[in-house]
Structure formats: C-alpha cells, structure tokens
Amino acid sequence: MSFIEGIKEKAAADLKTIVLPESEDERVIRAAAMIREEKTANLVLLGDEATIYSEALHYDVNIDGITIINPEKYEKLDEYVKLLTEIRKNKGMTEELARKTLLEDKTMFAVVMVKNGDADGVVSGACHSTASTLRPALQVLRTAPGKKLASGFFVLDVPKSDYGQHGTFIFADCALNQDPNSEELAAIANDAAESFESLLGGHARVAFLSHSTKGSAKHPMVTKVAEAVTLAHKEYPHLDCDGELQLDAALDPFVAKIKAPGSTVAGHANVLIFPNVDCGNIGYKLVQRLAKAEAYGPILQGLAAPVNDLSRGCFYEDIVGVVAITAVQAQLAQAAAAKAE
C-alpha cells in the first residue's frame, strides 16, 4: 500500500469536513468529484452554487451531494463577522471591515468556519500564494499550544527507492520560513518528526542537512545547522537526529560509514531538514520532477487546526491527496484535544 492509499484509508474511517475555497479553479472541481467518489472527506466548496454546478457540468464531473456555501448568502455570516471582529479587534478590526474581508477573501471565510467549529480543516493555494493561505490561519487560528512556530513540509513518495521509509520522506521547511535560525530549525525538526510518525507510522530519523558533514566545511551556514543539532538534542532529547550531514551521508549507508561513522541517523534518514527555504523548495521539486516522486504539500504544522497549502503547479490528484492528509491531521488534533481534557 502506498503512502497516500494508507492516508485515504485512515481519512475514510472517520470523515472530517474540509473546506475548499477555490471553487473557481478547474483542478479543485475535479478534485472535489474524486473525493466525493472515494469518500475520504465531507467537502464544502465556497462560491455561487449555480456557477459551480455549471463548471462541474462543463468538466463532466459529478459533485452532487457536496455542500456549497455562498458566503454572501450564508446564514452564519453575521456570526462570523462578530467572531472575526472579536479576534482581531486589537489590530483595528471593525465589523464593517470584517464583513468586507470575509466576502472578499474566501480563505479567511474558510478559516473562520474552522474557528467557529463548522469545519475541521482547509485546503487552499491552487491559485493563491502561500502567504494568502497562511496569513488567515495565523491571524485566526494561531499556533497550537506549546508550538514555537508554524512551518511547512512536503511528503515525498519516491518510486522504487531503497532510501527513507520505503521511499517515503518528509522534507521541511520547503515553503514557509525563509531563513530559520538555529532555534527555529530545531523546532521545525521536532514538529516534522511528529508529523512523520503520526502520518506515516514509522520511526522518524531526522537529518539536518548542509553542504558539510561533521565539520568538513567552515561557514556561518554550517555553524547555524550544527547549533540547531545541539539545541535539538538539548530541547528535544527524545528526537533521533543528527547533523550537520550532507545529503549522501544522510541517505546512503555506505557513504554514512565513511563520513559519519557511529551515527544512528546517517544512512537511514527519512526526515530531511533543510537549512533554508531555498534549499528545501529546490530540493523537493528536483525529487518530484527528476525522480518522478509524488509530492504532497506544503502541509502546515504547528497550527491550532489544519490549514494546508497547495503548490500553484499542482494537479487535481495532488489536491485529493492533501485533502486526505488534512482530514487525518484533523483526526489527530481532535484525538489529542480529547486526551488533554
């Protein structure tokens, strides 16, 4: 069973309500039809019902039974206006501005739905920037208790690969934190390990990547990564991590014996922490395009509720996968909240 098949199976076992704000995009309509068929989530599409059904007819897909909400006519709009005003009042939010924001920004509307308990998660970004997806989430949902920051990761499923967990990896941060400092890198690594173990079910082995292995090069960027490893060992002693490691030392057992002998992570890494978003973004796209890997994300971690981004170059099948991941994240978040009560 592939990674995404396993995720879909989990999602189907306990259906969650996921909002797709970008109903104007063909890929979203096609994805909605597939999700309806696969029964991996209860969906909400935002937009004009007649227009959405007309588009579905044009693309020859079936979206019957999917909930469609027109923000302008929704019975809870006034309730959402008051909620957003209360949340953002210290930032100058008024009811007039809140109403305008909710009607002009469907992602904000979707996030407020989650905050109000009317949905469990949001997937957006097919035709909007990461910032447009993340900003409402941070403003309304904010980070989860105990989390230092929000960050983004990709799940990469590489066909016919002996590396990682049967070819599956988490890459972080590939989308959000432009140039994280050592403390932020350590926190991203801890969150990425938690995401790996909760979504993939295996033991996370975390490699902090660099162009240097164990001091083979000297540079401030190398120092930043090495200090992140030291902090991770101190603040997250449960974390199975090592670095700084070059990519070949992180993945290849033969190279690891030469460059990092005695490491429990080198040669076996399945969670790769990149020193900055440039490296992460380039890295995941290289693997996706050249190794023909399935790439899901960027998935956001550290938020109080799941709101996930999409690459603007995604295919509709990618949206189907990210919705299933979002649904499983919602299951996990609700289970954790119930345990904490």
Side-chain angles (χ1 to χ4, degrees):
M1 182 183 294
S2 71
F3 159 73
I4 202 61
E5 287 171 344
I7 288 292
K8 287 180 178 180
E9 189 175 276
K10 290 178 182 177
D14 180 16
L15 293 180
K16 298 302 175 187
T17 299
I18 309 299
V19 188
L20 299 177
E22 299 169 311
S23 61
E24 69 275 17
D25 191 288
E26 176 183 350
R27 295 166 296 174
V28 172
I29 298 295
R30 292 189 179 278
M34 181 175 284
I35 293 163
R36 172 191 174 276
E37 183 176 338
E38 294 182 346
K39 297 181 176 63
T40 52
N42 295 319
L43 287 183
V44 176
L45 293 173
L46 297 185
D48 177 71
E49 186 173 11
T51 301
I52 292 172
Y53 272 112
S54 175
E55 291 294 295
L57 183 64
H58 175 73
Y59 303 134
D60 193 27
V61 296
N62 187 354
I63 61 168
D64 289 347
I66 292 176
T67 299
I68 298 174
I69 290 175
N70 184 339
E72 294 182 3
K73 301 177 181 178
Y74 191 46
E75 67 223 19
K76 291 192 174 183
L77 176 59
D78 290 344
E79 188 176 332
Y80 291 177
V81 167
K82 290 178 180 177
L83 178 58
L84 182 56
T85 303
E86 178 62 26
I87 292 170
R88 302 285 294 161
K89 64 183 179 182
N90 292 337
K91 299 294 183 180
M93 183 65 72
T94 63
E95 288 197 6
E96 181 181 3
L97 181 56
R99 186 177 300 275
K100 182 174 184 292
T101 302
L102 287 165
L103 292 179
E104 292 181 354
D105 185 346
K106 289 179 183 175
T107 301
M108 177 63 85
F109 189 95
V111 168
V112 172
M113 283 190 71
V114 173
K115 182 68 174 179
N116 202 53
D118 298 319
D120 301 305
V122 178
V123 173
S124 187
C127 47
H128 293 88
S129 68
T130 294
S132 297
T133 299
L134 183 64
R135 190 181 303 111
L138 287 175
Q139 290 177 346
V140 174
L141 299 174
R142 300 168 185 164
T143 54
K147 297 298 181 182
K148 293 183 177 180
L149 76 169
S151 58
F153 67 88
F154 276 82
V155 177
L156 273 293
D157 196 0
V158 185
K160 300 178 182 178
S161 173
D162 295 326
Y163 299 133
Q165 181 164 294
H166 309 298
T168 307
F169 300 84
I170 276 184
F171 286 20
D173 180 345
C174 303
L176 199 55
N177 295 283
Q178 196 73 34
D179 187 17
N181 60 32
S182 297
E183 184 178 5
E184 290 167 337
L185 274 179
I188 289 167
N190 182 61
D191 290 351
E194 288 181 2
S195 294
F196 182 93
E197 293 183 353
S198 62
L199 292 174
L200 280 77
H203 174 63
R205 292 183 172 87
V206 183
F208 288 80
L209 299 181
S210 173
H211 68 278
S212 167
T213 295
K214 302 291 187 176
S216 65
K218 305 296 182 185
H219 190 276
M221 287 186 68
V222 176
T223 301
K224 178 182 85 166
V225 176
E227 289 177 350
V229 178
T230 300
L231 284 169
H233 285 310
K234 180 181 178 181
E235 296 190 27
Y236 313 105
H238 60 279
L239 194 60
D240 190 2
C241 66
D242 203 2
E244 82 284 7
L245 295 171
Q246 292 165 295
L247 182 65
D248 56 353
L251 298 184
D252 192 306
F254 177 77
V255 176
K257 288 179 181 178
I258 299 169
K259 293 186 175 183
S263 173
T264 61
V265 171
H268 306 285
N270 47 35
V271 177
L272 304 182
I273 306 302
F274 293 84
N276 58 45
V277 79
D278 282 338
C279 296
N281 189 273
I282 293 166
Y284 101 76
K285 286 180 178 176
L286 278 171
V287 174
Q288 180 187 31
R289 301 295 176 176
L290 299 185
K292 309 297 183 184
E294 293 182 2
Y296 300 97
I299 307 301
L300 303 183
Q301 57 189 7
L303 292 171
V307 176
N308 286 323
D309 194 17
L310 297 162
S311 168
R312 280 173 285 177
C314 69
F315 301 102
Y316 77 87
E317 295 92 342
D318 300 328
I319 301 173
V320 174
V322 173
V323 166
I325 293 170
T326 306
V328 173
Q329 283 184 308
Q331 292 173 359
L332 294 166
Q334 290 171 15
K339 186 177 179 180
E341 290 179 354

